[in-house]
Amino acid sequence: MRDDDALRVPAQHRLHRRAQRALVPPGEGQAQVARRQYEEYWPRFEKAYQIEAHNITEPGEQEISDDIGRQFRGYRRSIERLLYANPPMATETARDYYFRTLEPAFLRLKR
């Protein structure tokens, strides 16, 4: 595993955990905490990704890097739909959205 891969995986897991926390029936402020944590960690992933995207050294690596970038942009759109929904999604709707949309996207990105 290269150093930038080591950065990518922990950042992905933190983003994913933030999405999971958004599914818990919110007490006052819980959604704000999830948004704050998401806003803290997605730039870290983006930074690690940009390092990788500009450090292509092997055949096929560009395509992999581009695919990660596309998947991450899609994942961000999806997670932001949950975290910033106005009005907030009902708990059951959010749970369904998470398991049908976010978790599969996260698992694809993690590969």
Side-chain angles (χ1 to χ4, degrees):
M1 180 182 293
R2 294 188 326 243
D3 289 341
D4 51 305
D5 289 337
L7 292 173
R8 177 173 58 109
V9 173
Q12 287 174 338
H13 287 288
R14 286 189 294 272
L15 287 173
H16 188 63
R17 284 195 303 271
R18 290 342 170 249
Q20 288 176 318
R21 287 183 186 151
L23 296 177
V24 178
E28 193 60 40
Q30 188 171 10
Q32 294 161 329
V33 170
R35 285 190 293 269
R36 180 182 48 78
Q37 290 174 337
Y38 167 74
E39 290 165 0
E40 177 183 347
Y41 287 106
W42 82 258
R44 292 182 188 188
F45 177 90
E46 179 66 25
K47 181 179 179 181
Y49 169 72
Q50 289 301 323
I51 291 168
E52 169 59 28
H54 293 90
N55 186 32
I56 304 301
T57 59
E58 299 178 27
E61 196 173 4
Q62 183 67 59
E63 291 79 9
I64 293 168
S65 178
D66 291 347
D67 184 51
I68 290 169
R70 278 190 299 277
Q71 287 187 57
F72 182 61
R73 286 187 298 275
Y75 183 75
R76 279 198 63 205
R77 283 190 302 272
S78 295
I79 196 170
E80 288 175 4
R81 180 171 177 231
L82 173 64
L83 292 176
Y84 301 104
N86 189 14
M89 289 183 191
T91 301
E92 192 58 38
T93 302
R95 190 170 281 118
D96 183 61
Y97 180 75
Y98 173 81
F99 286 110
R100 290 179 187 251
T101 303
L102 287 175
E103 185 176 51
F106 170 76
L107 294 174
R108 282 190 305 274
L109 183 58
K110 186 176 162 184
R111 288 186 286 143

